Amino acid sequence: MPRQVPRIEIPHTDIWTVLFEREDKPFPDSQVIYQCPTTGRNYTYASLKRTTELFGTGLRSHWKWQKGDVLALFAQNCIDTPAVTWGCHWAGGVVSPANPAYTARELGHHLRDSGARALFTQKNLLGTALKAASEAGMPRERIVLIGDDRDRGVRHVTEILGERLEGSRTKLDPGSDLAFLVYSSGTTGLPKGVMLTHLNVVSNLFMVNSSEGALLQWNKDKILSVLPYYHIYGLQCLVHLPAYAGLTTIVMSSFDLKNFCAIIQDNHITYTYVAPPIILHLAKSPIISNYDLSSLRMITSGAAPLAKDLIHAVKNRLGTEVKQAYGLSETSPVTHIQKAWNHGMGSNGPALPNQVVKFMSPDGQEVPTGKEGELWIKGPNVFLGYLNNIEATKACKTEDGFFKTGDIGYEDEDGNMYITDRVKELIKYKGFQVAPAELEGILASHELVNDVAVIGIQDHSQATEVPLAFVAPKEGVERSEANGKLIVDWLAERVAGHKRLRGGVRWIDEVPKSASGKIPRRILKDLLAKEGGVVKAKL
């Protein structure tokens, strides 16, 4: 039988109401929620609420914003992101975050697929934003800057704010109206829009808070925001949770190890959410020894599995506890969190409340405790479906509401979950999803390439998977390291940074195919393992 986990009460309401109309708020309106470590500029709870209202008013007056209109957000982490997000929600809109590492081609797809009416970005990303918007048919006057830098050619978010609050907040149906369109890589090509309702996000916020709320106190803890806000992991744990729990979060625009350490030291950070590569730095980098990180008592790591030896290394070196979590864009995202770092070590902990979790065999039968199977999850946090993609939605959601995660794992007797493999072909580079088929489609157009297959290989020096391409060259092409590097560099100019061929190019006579034309990637991984994992033309 599926494991039934504890239940908590979840309000049937929208995100803005949960955050700004609650009667049980334990912290004062003057509490600082988001702060920039370089300028000192911040949002208190009161100024955050007021800005969301004025921004929502401004969207209506400038562009006649309607319920369901999509606002695309193409930016690095910024303290303006929460106000823009919830101001859009106040006006009934949907927010669609985009990876700031996107090329114009990738961002253009995002804008077209989401149907975005406006694009909010930053000055350092403006060139890409303008090109993508032009290709997507979005007028220049719909591009707006956030952050401290301005450009005379486009408007700044402060010019969109209404002078005073006008009208009332748009009424929403939490269970059917979308709050976010986040994009998740599919195995067959370009990213798909994951439709998350207000109830999905509110449910997961309460589920996460049921665990993390017992560990964090608004008047004692400070969080460091380093995970990207465009990613659902950062969006939930570092945007929504601090505003609900009243936690001050210091916002890094992007990860830099020295800045990361300096901010922890100077601001007495006590808690942060990260991906495994940062844990690797904390365990092994000599830079760490130059800083006092003694305030950092706990870390939650997610987005990819974490080795036990790294957990012990960080605890021994810094005294900091590291626990793990699991989630997906389609589950809003967090489904499992360890309760304590040394309970179920190596696992993702038990399932959060209000979910039904089961592990299924390839023939559709539930497997017993301790046996591996595909993880299926049902709960109020499970997404509505993929935008404009009924077939993909049907393929991963059962008629009775279970989401087939594509991850293989098992539970122990205490309910702790261990992920051991993936059914899906996605590569996870530092928590970011990379679709092999997308890279193959681009690489196939290269003049040196006759056929190609992309797989993920583990790079232990970075504690992550990296993409590697098996290339069958065109006749007469020399199988040299120089030609391999040409292919690697050529692709790097056409895709976001996390999609680059950091595993390099491996020459092959012929890419294996099944009778149906599919690439059996396991065969290629086994081939590489037999050869000792030797990779040629590394980036």
Side-chain angles (χ1 to χ4, degrees):
M1 292 290 292
R3 182 180 292 275
Q4 299 288 338
V5 296
R7 297 191 64 81
I8 58 172
E9 185 176 346
I10 295 172
H12 190 87
T13 189
D14 63 277
I15 297 169
W16 199 93
T17 299
V18 159
L19 295 178
F20 300 115
E21 291 187 351
R22 56 184 297 198
E23 297 178 355
D24 60 342
K25 180 171 68 68
F27 53 90
D29 288 353
S30 60
Q31 174 74 352
V32 172
I33 307 297
Y34 309 101
Q35 182 167 315
C36 175
T38 54
T39 67
R41 188 164 69 91
N42 64 51
Y43 282 90
T44 64
Y45 177 83
S47 66
L48 178 64
K49 178 181 179 181
R50 182 62 174 169
T51 304
T52 66
E53 295 170 326
L54 294 178
F55 181 68
T57 296
L59 285 178
R60 285 181 183 165
S61 62
H62 281 275
W63 297 324
K64 294 182 171 53
W65 206 257
Q66 302 292 316
K67 181 178 175 179
D69 284 348
V70 176
L71 183 154
L73 192 54
F74 177 61
Q76 294 177 311
N77 287 4
C78 176
I79 64 170
D80 295 331
T81 294
V84 168
T85 297
W86 298 320
C88 179
H89 289 164
W90 187 93
V94 181
V95 176
S96 187
N99 186 342
Y102 272 167
T103 63
R105 178 191 71 88
E106 292 165 321
L107 179 59
H109 166 75
H110 187 117
L111 296 177
R112 289 188 297 271
D113 192 69
S114 66
R117 287 194 64 204
L119 174 60
F120 283 64
T121 188
Q122 292 164 310
K123 186 176 180 179
N124 63 311
L125 300 171
L126 187 55
T128 301
L130 288 169
K131 185 177 180 181
S134 176
E135 293 175 355
M138 180 182 289
R140 188 185 183 100
E141 56 266 25
R142 292 295 179 94
I143 301 176
V144 180
L145 295 181
I146 64 172
D148 296 306
D149 296 326
R150 305 191 182 210
D151 187 280
R152 285 185 292 179
V154 296
R155 283 190 283 191
H156 189 265
V157 64
T158 53
E159 300 173 54
I160 304 297
L161 297 180
E163 294 182 1
R164 62 183 182 277
L165 179 60
E166 295 179 359
S168 58
R169 186 164 52 88
T170 299
K171 293 183 179 179
L172 298 168
D173 181 342
S176 60
D177 287 330
L178 299 187
F180 294 99
L181 265 176
V182 298
Y183 276 73
S184 176
S185 291
T187 58
T188 57
L190 291 168
K192 303 189 295 290
V194 177
M195 298 188 290
L196 299 178
T197 67
H198 280 264
L199 187 58
N200 288 153
V201 178
V202 167
S203 296
N204 197 244
L205 173 61
F206 275 65
M207 291 157 62
V208 171
N209 190 63
S210 71
S211 175
E212 300 294 89
L215 303 173
L216 297 166
Q217 300 179 53
W218 69 268
N219 55 354
K220 291 184 179 180
D221 285 296
K222 275 190 178 181
I223 292 180
L224 175 54
S225 281
V226 62
L227 290 172
Y229 283 177
Y230 82 85
H231 193 284
I232 188 63
Y233 180 15
L235 186 60
Q236 186 69 285
C237 294
L238 295 172
V239 177
H240 291 94
L241 183 63
Y244 183 78
L247 298 161
T248 297
T249 177
I250 309 300
V251 181
M252 289 187 72
S253 61
S254 60
F255 178 71
D256 173 86
L257 183 57
K258 291 181 179 178
N259 287 342
F260 178 83
C261 294
I263 291 171
I264 293 173
Q265 174 182 273
D266 297 344
N267 294 273
H268 307 291
I269 298 296
T270 61
Y271 201 115
T272 189
Y273 295 85
V274 303
I278 294 180
I279 300 297
L280 182 66
H281 284 303
L282 292 174
K284 297 185 177 181
S285 173
I287 291 173
I288 301 300
S289 301
N290 299 330
Y291 298 87
D292 179 4
L293 307 185
S294 58
S295 64
L296 187 62
R297 62 181 180 83
M298 189 175 294
I299 298 172
T300 293
S301 177
L306 185 64
K308 287 183 184 180
D309 62 333
L310 290 179
I311 297 172
H312 283 294
V314 172
K315 185 69 168 66
N316 293 336
R317 185 179 191 184
L318 302 176
T320 304
E321 299 176 357
V322 180
K323 57 193 184 72
Q324 295 197 78
Y326 172 87
L328 309 101
S329 297
E330 291 86 349
T331 54
S332 307
V334 188
T335 66
H336 294 70
I337 303 180
Q338 271 184 284
K339 292 182 177 179
W341 77 283
N342 53 358
H343 290 180
M345 186 177 291
S347 79
N348 298 111
L352 291 174
N354 295 48
Q355 300 177 107
V356 181
V357 174
K358 59 184 180 181
F359 295 84
M360 305 295 289
S361 67
D363 60 358
Q365 301 299 311
E366 187 175 358
V367 301
T369 298
K371 186 173 176 59
E372 288 187 352
E374 182 184 3
L375 172 63
W376 289 16
I377 298 173
K378 181 178 181 179
N381 53 315
V382 172
F383 76 134
L384 203 60
Y386 295 114
L387 180 68
N388 302 324
N389 201 330
I390 295 174
E391 288 188 7
T393 303
K394 286 183 177 179
C396 71
K397 287 187 75 175
T398 66
E399 290 185 1
D400 58 348
F402 279 94
F403 170 57
K404 304 175 183 180
T405 67
D407 284 327
I408 304 295
Y410 66 94
E411 279 184 339
D412 64 19
E413 293 293 339
D414 296 322
N416 295 308
M417 182 184 71
Y418 299 78
I419 295 297
T420 57
D421 202 352
R422 279 200 300 279
V423 173
K424 295 179 181 178
E425 297 173 343
L426 291 176
I427 301 164
K428 281 195 173 182
Y429 172 72
K430 295 187 177 180
F432 301 120
Q433 294 179 333
V434 181
E438 180 187 358
L439 300 189
E440 290 160 358
I442 300 170
L443 288 166
S445 67
H446 194 281
E447 61 182 5
L448 302 182
V449 176
N450 183 50
D451 199 3
V452 60
V454 175
I455 65 170
I457 61 168
Q458 191 68 27
D459 183 340
H460 295 288
S461 68
Q462 297 187 68
T464 185
E465 279 187 311
V466 294
L468 173 145
F470 279 85
V471 173
K474 288 185 177 177
E475 187 174 353
V477 171
E478 183 183 359
R479 302 183 182 200
S480 64
E481 184 173 339
N483 277 339
K485 190 174 187 306
L486 280 176
I487 294 171
V488 169
D489 293 344
W490 178 87
L491 181 70
E493 295 175 355
R494 290 161 173 78
V495 296
H498 64 279
K499 300 178 185 178
R500 295 176 182 175
L501 291 176
R502 286 179 167 81
V505 165
R506 164 70 162 79
W507 301 110
I508 193 170
D509 293 335
E510 183 181 7
V511 174
K513 302 281 177 69
S514 69
S516 63
K518 292 184 179 181
I519 300 171
R521 300 182 203 279
R522 175 56 61 187
I523 292 177
L524 295 174
K525 289 188 177 184
D526 290 345
L527 173 64
L528 203 63
K530 288 178 183 177
E531 296 182 357
V534 176
V535 180
K536 298 180 180 179
K538 276 197 173 184
L539 183 65

